[in-house]
Amino acid sequence: MQTVTGNRALMLEEPLLFEIGSTEQTGVDFPEFKANAGRLGDLERHRGIGLAGLSEPEAVRHYTRLSRQNYAIDLGLFPLGSCTMKHNPRLNEKVARLPGFADAHPLQPIDSVQGALELIDLVGNWLTTLTGMPAVAMSPKAGAHGELCGLLCIRAALEARGDAREVVLVPESAHGTNPATAAFAGYRVENIPANKAGRVDLEALKTRLGPDVAAVMITNPNTCGLFEPDMKAISDAVHAAGAFVYCDGANFNAIVGKVRPGDLGVDAMHINLHKTFSTPHGGGGPGAGPVVLSAALAPFAPLPFVEKQGDRFVLVEEETAEEHHAQSFGRMVAFHGQMGMFTRAASYMLSHGSDGLRQVAEDAVLNANYILRSLEDLLDAPFGPSGPCMHEALFSDRGFGEGLSTLDLAKALIDEGFHPMTMYFPLVVHGAMLVEPTETESRASLDQFIAAFRSIAERAKAGDERLKAAPVYAPRRRLDETLAARKPVLVYKDAEPAQAAE
Amino acid sequence: MRYLPLSEADRGEMLQAVGASAIDDLFCDVPADALLAGPIAELPAHASELAVERQLTALSRKNLAAGEVPFFLGCGAYKHHIPASVDHIIQRGEFLTAYTPYQPEIAQGTLQVLFEFQTQVARLLGCEVANASMYDGSTACWEAIVMARRITRRTKAILSSGLHPHYVSVANTMAKFTGDVLNTSLPELNAATDADKLIAAIDGETSAVVVQYPDILGRITDLTPIAEAAHANGALLIAVVTEPVALGLIRSPGEMGADIVVGEGQSIGVGLQFGGPYVGLFATREKYVRQMPGRLAGETVDAEGKRGFVLTLSTREQHIRREKATSNICTNSGLCALAFSVHMSLLGEKGLRQLAQLNHARACEVADRLAAIPGVRLVNDSFFNEFTIELPVEARPVVRHLADNGILGGVSLGRLYPGADALQNGLVIAVTETATDEDIDALEAGLKEVCK
């Protein structure tokens, strides 16, 4: 039944900001002041901008209504494999807003920001200790930025010894950012196949190693949700060939407190703070991607970084980078990294402690295996028979009815009130479904998810055509992504911007 | 452990259900000698919420917060008042704890916000299209240089001496690895910008000219002649805006012919946060959209014909193109973009203009007062809310001295250009709507004292 407004009780339609606001409306009051346009160098703006304004109540409603069209970890299970959506403790938000952290300028005199520098040092210390690595670069802004940081350290180290190597080897199962990062750092990328057990093919890797290989980028635990048991042998072979091991630490949450990557011969590894240390993902970021480094790479770490000198914390920048830092590859971001994320991560680290983080990994792995074993009788689990998974369980669409795909199953999960799992990734499995529950799910929530998944999977195997129509109950039915790409509409265009400023 | 829902009984039963006798059976792929036997001893054990809050509060008190003292720092990060509703909105769990909108049917909130953000950014910067945000201004600047290289198939970029030195550093770092050639120089303590020098340097090999507007010393210059000269030589003009509030009052770079406009959006809605997270703005011409890095939200319809939004043009991106992607970026600053967008919609055009006028008026007043101090020279002819003064003494110790006396009195050029002797007496002062009369009195008195 249609309603006049298009709303359905608590499910409210919300127009675009530009359709409800106007250039004359504002939700902010300013004190009286005397305008002065004397110093603008004849560049005063005469054309309108076209920015719609809202009064405060209208704005609060607009965004609150929009928020209700989002699924979020606060609403329920968010089992995106390799993306790791876990509960975000609100204490983290509270401490990140303490004025000393939230309201400090990046260029304040060093003595006025000792607490901020100490906090960066504290988080860095946890990261090096947990990974068994001697050094850490805190400034990368996100996981992929961290990958770039690690590769640039490797490249700088190779260049320092006069060794120009051109190739980076990336296993097939790697995150899509790995090859893109290697290319961005100026390397040629070559793929290394996965073996039948979903791991790096060690022999293929050894055969390819040679004097032209700068680094191997490995994800461990890998994107099939599996630990690479040959990691030490891989590292030894890579080092013997004069190359470095980059480990994509996106899945560190599965082994934190249980295994130190440094013990396995890793030279550089980024850590996505939102995955392992619960900084909120915010609908797409911000992230933070500190990189831990081996002794061989530490001298090449980017500026700036924090160092303790006596009882004072110092920010090593271009001017102070002497002797032992002279080989730094430079600066990769304007200021000091994602301070707001460090604060949240620190809160999470201190709350869990060394013992709690170990429990985090254990519960994450237990929950993932519980899902794997509860569904593998019904769904094809390509690597299930070879042993336990780590933080995520991988299934394929094998055995689905004619014309039904992973996509249909995912969209049907939406109607059951769950966010779907990661789809079609990793690429090594057909119609892949990667489910990561994380440690913050209760057994009851896992059981409910499993029951829903089972029921939909049974329908998919039976060829239930109605799945193709899902979702039925979401704020929108299936969206036409082809149309969006073929005729891109990226900004709102109908309203003509005002032509004259007031 | 308050964040972990499994009970010991759950764990026992679940282990049984998965056919394991102990948890370490599930870690059997880890080599035995690499599996740690117990918690790492060098780190402390778990702590209560009360204890953690106390510890971090104590740490935060070792910082001098901007809001507690007279405050005049800028140079790429600005202190503005943020309406309370902005933080309220971004703390809503449906925004705060959502992931990248991979399932558009249940992510319309985030997607519509990104579409609205893109529209606001494109209009503000004077461009046709914008993306859904970048890490920050400095990385957006480098990505713009790389994008210009892809478009022009040339590798030589000319960077204005007025470009933020950290942005120059980031570009220099990256160029070492990519083989791009960057033409850079140090600024001079002059009212004039280096526009003529930039124009003279453009040749048939130039991919892009990169200018900052207002620049690192706060100067504003007409970008039109630079754009014309660049275009005449087949090069692009990249403009960098680190203080977007300025665009409420002065002409946008896009309006003056810039092909790519990038910016730091921190000023609107996002706090100082000691340098991050911030929000990179990135806008360009419609014809270059497929060369643009980063995420894009686009409008479409659903199966019932209703308007909706999706992430689109992902064939440029790393997860499909892998090593051929336009960049390796796999995230945006979604939550900061939301904060920017909420603040911008509260301001609206009228409020942004008033905010900009207020900033400019305040800055003019302070510039006049400081320039009247014997020995102090105002460098700028033009500025928005930030200007440079030359002191009779080195500025770095002055800034430290002021800080010791509870005044955060600007950014010394010595901090930004440690090796440049000619710049050591330069002090960049930013004045926003947050500066009170008492703050300004304190700064004036403090500078008078050191200039005696």
Side-chain angles (χ1 to χ4, degrees):
Chain A
M1 195 183 71
Q2 286 298 320
T3 54
V4 174
T5 52
N7 296 336
R8 294 176 200 174
L10 287 173
M11 201 191 284
L12 304 170
E13 290 292 315
E14 183 60 15
L16 284 166
L17 163 64
F18 305 93
E19 295 164 339
I20 52 175
S22 87
T23 53
E24 291 307 306
Q25 180 61 272
T26 180
V28 182
D29 291 325
F30 293 103
E32 290 294 317
F33 64 96
K34 212 172 123 226
N36 181 338
R39 309 292 182 86
L40 297 176
D42 294 329
L43 288 169
E44 187 165 5
R45 183 190 269 281
H46 296 296
R47 246 193 257 173
I49 309 172
L51 294 169
L54 300 170
S55 64
E56 183 172 313
E58 290 171 305
V60 169
R61 247 181 220 169
H62 177 63
Y63 290 103
T64 303
R65 286 176 170 180
L66 286 180
S67 76
R68 291 162 51 104
Q69 297 178 21
N70 266 3
Y71 196 88
I73 190 71
D74 279 2
L75 292 168
L77 185 69
F78 211 128
L80 279 172
S82 276
C83 295
T84 316
M85 288 296 283
K86 57 171 72 175
H87 172 64
N88 296 132
R90 288 317 192 270
L91 172 64
N92 304 359
E93 295 304 308
K94 188 175 182 184
V95 296
R97 285 168 172 80
L98 291 167
F101 301 131
D103 203 19
H105 190 285
L107 296 171
Q108 276 182 221
I110 298 304
D111 285 333
S112 72
V113 288
Q114 285 293 302
L117 298 180
E118 189 174 340
L119 185 120
I120 295 176
D121 186 69
L122 171 86
V123 174
N125 183 45
W126 276 81
L127 294 178
T128 52
T129 308
L130 288 169
T131 55
M133 308 276 281
V136 61
M138 295 295 287
S139 69
K141 290 256 174 188
H145 205 220
E147 290 172 27
L148 189 60
C149 173
L151 279 196
L152 295 187
C153 284
I154 288 170
R155 202 165 150 174
L158 287 168
E159 282 172 7
R161 69 180 196 215
D163 195 351
R165 295 175 175 231
E166 293 160 2
V167 177
V168 167
L169 305 180
V170 183
E172 269 180 343
S173 62
H175 206 236
T177 50
N178 289 179
T181 298
F184 225 54
Y187 285 108
R188 201 170 75 239
V189 178
E190 285 183 29
N191 288 325
I192 295 292
N195 64 21
K196 286 201 173 98
R199 273 83 168 186
V200 176
D201 187 330
L202 180 60
E203 288 316 308
L205 177 71
K206 279 185 174 167
T207 309
R208 181 55 193 87
L209 284 171
D212 60 337
V213 174
V216 178
M217 294 181 89
I218 289 180
T219 305
N220 194 18
N222 70 23
T223 47
C224 298
L226 305 169
F227 195 84
E228 295 284 354
D230 296 329
M231 192 67 201
K232 191 77 178 68
I234 291 170
S235 300
D236 290 345
V238 171
H239 291 153
F244 291 95
V245 178
Y246 186 88
C247 182
D248 184 319
N251 302 325
F252 185 56
N253 59 308
I255 56 169
V256 59
K258 298 286 288 183
V259 185
R260 287 180 303 209
D263 296 344
L264 301 170
V266 167
D267 291 293
M269 183 177 96
H270 76 267
I271 297 163
N272 301 67
L273 291 187
H274 76 271
K275 293 184 177 186
T276 303
F277 300 103
S278 86
T279 66
H281 203 269
V291 180
V292 287
L293 298 165
S294 64
L297 294 183
F300 306 96
L303 301 168
F305 49 86
V306 174
E307 239 178 37
K308 194 166 188 191
Q309 294 179 359
D311 56 358
R312 188 167 169 270
F313 290 91
V314 177
L315 192 62
V316 179
E317 297 185 278
E318 285 82 345
E319 56 180 299
T320 38
E322 294 161 11
E323 296 161 47
H324 60 299
H325 304 306
Q327 290 176 288
S328 164
F329 75 73
R331 181 185 283 272
M332 61 185 311
V333 68
F335 299 120
H336 327 306
Q338 307 288 66
M339 182 67 191
M341 295 294 139
F342 302 156
T343 326
R344 291 170 172 90
S347 167
Y348 182 87
M349 289 167 171
L350 294 168
S351 294
H352 280 86
S354 181
D355 51 338
L357 289 176
R358 195 176 155 81
Q359 190 70 56
V360 159
E362 292 180 352
D363 284 2
V365 170
L366 180 58
N367 281 356
N369 278 282
Y370 188 67
I371 285 187
L372 176 68
R373 299 305 172 205
S374 302
L375 289 167
E376 67 181 345
D377 63 313
L378 182 62
L379 279 169
D380 175 49
F383 308 120
S386 68
C389 63
M390 296 302 283
H391 55 297
E392 54 197 2
L394 180 61
F395 303 100
S396 85
D397 65 355
R398 213 168 71 172
F400 279 20
E402 189 70 21
L404 286 169
S405 66
T406 290
L407 182 74
D408 300 313
L409 189 145
K411 298 302 182 191
L413 266 176
I414 290 176
D415 278 336
E416 293 289 346
F418 290 104
H419 194 284
M421 64 287 153
T422 292
M423 302 185 306
Y424 302 119
F425 183 81
L427 307 173
V428 290
V429 171
H430 189 272
M433 295 180 278
L434 195 53
V435 183
E436 176 162 12
T438 82
E439 74 280 5
T440 57
E441 292 308 321
S442 69
R443 192 177 171 195
S445 102
L446 297 178
D447 285 339
Q448 194 192 32
F449 176 75
I450 289 163
F453 211 105
R454 285 194 73 89
S455 137
I456 298 165
E458 277 163 6
R459 289 168 59 194
K461 295 189 91 168
D464 184 346
E465 290 282 320
R466 285 172 303 170
L467 290 177
K468 288 184 184 171
V472 175
Y473 302 118
R476 285 292 178 270
R477 304 291 293 273
R478 279 193 208 188
L479 287 149
D480 190 341
E481 305 200 26
T482 313
L483 174 70
R486 215 176 47 224
K487 292 183 181 170
V489 179
L490 307 173
V491 293
Y492 181 73
K493 275 182 183 158
D494 290 348
E496 281 295 312
Q499 284 309 302
E502 60 183 89
Chain B
M1 175 30 70
R2 59 191 179 274
Y3 303 139
L4 301 177
L6 295 187
S7 67
E8 274 309 316
D10 288 334
R11 290 183 183 118
E13 287 164 26
M14 288 166 72
L15 276 173
Q16 219 170 11
V18 303
S21 57
I23 188 69
D24 281 351
D25 289 358
L26 302 179
F27 289 82
C28 58
D29 283 336
V30 178
D33 57 348
L35 196 64
L36 301 172
I40 295 171
E42 293 82 10
L43 297 171
H46 67 277
S48 68
E49 177 154 345
L50 176 62
V52 174
E53 191 176 336
R54 274 190 186 144
Q55 184 178 347
L56 291 176
T57 303
L59 215 49
S60 78
R61 290 205 175 114
K62 294 184 183 176
N63 297 326
L64 195 54
E68 293 165 2
V69 292
F71 180 87
F72 298 93
L73 275 71
C75 289
Y78 299 87
K79 178 169 176 56
H80 290 288
H81 175 71
I82 302 173
S85 46
V86 174
D87 194 45
H88 170 81
I89 296 290
I90 69 168
Q91 287 216 59
R92 279 194 68 93
E94 304 93 326
F95 283 130
L96 185 76
T97 75
Y99 196 73
T100 304
Y102 288 146
Q103 297 288 342
E105 295 84 5
I106 45 171
Q108 286 298 299
T110 291
L111 286 160
Q112 183 170 331
V113 164
L114 292 179
F115 183 80
E116 292 175 355
F117 170 82
Q118 288 169 188
T119 307
Q120 288 171 323
V121 171
R123 290 181 179 186
L124 184 70
L125 303 181
C127 296
E128 290 164 339
V129 289
N131 74 12
S133 77
M134 312 283 284
Y135 303 142
D136 75 343
S138 67
T139 53
C141 176
W142 168 250
E143 293 277 350
I145 295 170
V146 179
M147 176 171 149
R149 183 222 294 158
R150 278 196 301 274
I151 292 169
T152 61
R153 297 173 190 277
R154 301 173 182 174
T155 54
K156 197 179 110 184
I158 303 167
L159 276 49
S160 159
S161 66
L163 180 60
H164 195 297
H166 288 175
Y167 289 38
V168 174
S169 277
V170 172
N172 274 329
T173 296
M174 295 306 303
K176 275 192 290 192
F177 299 101
T178 60
D180 287 67
V181 180
L182 304 181
N183 175 336
T184 64
S185 56
L186 292 175
E188 291 170 22
L189 282 181
N190 280 337
T193 63
D194 60 356
D196 294 341
K197 248 168 54 186
L198 288 176
I199 290 170
I202 302 170
D203 60 19
E205 305 293 301
T206 308
S207 64
V209 182
V210 187
V211 296
Q212 185 175 317
Y213 173 88
D215 76 1
I216 189 68
L217 301 185
R219 301 169 299 191
I220 320 166
T221 197
D222 187 355
L223 304 181
T224 315
I226 309 174
E228 284 167 0
H231 296 156
N233 283 279
L236 303 185
L237 176 64
I238 298 170
V240 178
V241 177
T242 63
E243 172 49 301
V245 172
L247 301 183
L249 195 54
I250 58 176
R251 292 165 68 192
S252 69
E255 201 181 324
M256 293 186 279
D259 302 280
I260 305 172
V261 186
V262 296
E264 173 51 70
Q266 173 273 333
S267 220
I268 297 175
V270 184
L272 288 169
Q273 303 192 86
F274 199 51
Y278 286 179
V279 51
L281 313 178
F282 201 113
T284 188
R285 299 177 188 277
E286 200 146 23
K287 64 178 171 181
Y288 298 140
V289 71
R290 282 166 208 273
Q291 295 300 331
M292 181 159 57
R295 279 193 186 131
L296 291 167
E299 186 183 318
T300 188
V301 293
D302 78 351
E304 292 176 342
K306 284 186 183 164
R307 176 173 68 189
F309 303 91
V310 293
L311 290 182
T312 193
L313 297 184
S314 56
T315 47
R316 308 161 299 117
E317 289 189 68
Q318 35 73 29
H319 59 277
I320 294 179
R321 294 261 290 171
R322 291 169 75 88
E323 66 268 25
K324 293 190 169 59
T326 54
S327 90
N328 74 326
I329 288 176
C330 121
T331 189
N332 62 330
S333 289
L335 202 66
C336 300
L338 171 67
F340 179 101
S341 202
V342 178
H343 192 182
M344 190 60 99
S345 70
L346 282 165
L347 288 165
E349 181 139 351
K350 187 180 176 189
L352 180 68
R353 185 167 178 84
Q354 283 178 345
L355 176 63
Q357 285 173 332
L358 177 53
N359 272 251
H360 185 56
R362 217 67 182 129
C364 287
E365 183 191 337
V366 178
D368 289 341
R369 282 174 65 175
L370 298 187
I373 299 173
V376 171
R377 178 175 78 93
L378 174 64
V379 170
N380 301 56
D381 282 344
S382 67
F383 59 87
F384 167 62
N385 67 355
E386 189 167 25
F387 55 83
T388 304
I389 54 176
E390 189 176 18
L391 301 177
V393 292
E394 223 183 290
R396 280 203 93 167
V398 170
V399 169
R400 283 198 291 263
H401 174 76
L402 290 173
D404 291 343
N405 290 286
I407 301 167
L408 291 171
V411 177
S412 68
L413 288 177
R415 171 87 186 259
L416 293 174
Y417 301 93
D421 292 345
L423 298 171
Q424 297 304 308
N425 291 10
L427 179 61
V428 185
I429 307 272
V431 189
T432 72
E433 75 283 0
T434 61
T436 64
D437 291 340
E438 292 75 23
D439 293 343
I440 296 167
D441 291 345
L443 176 67
E444 187 186 27
L447 285 176
K448 267 184 183 160
E449 178 69 31
V450 295
C451 291
K452 252 185 213 164

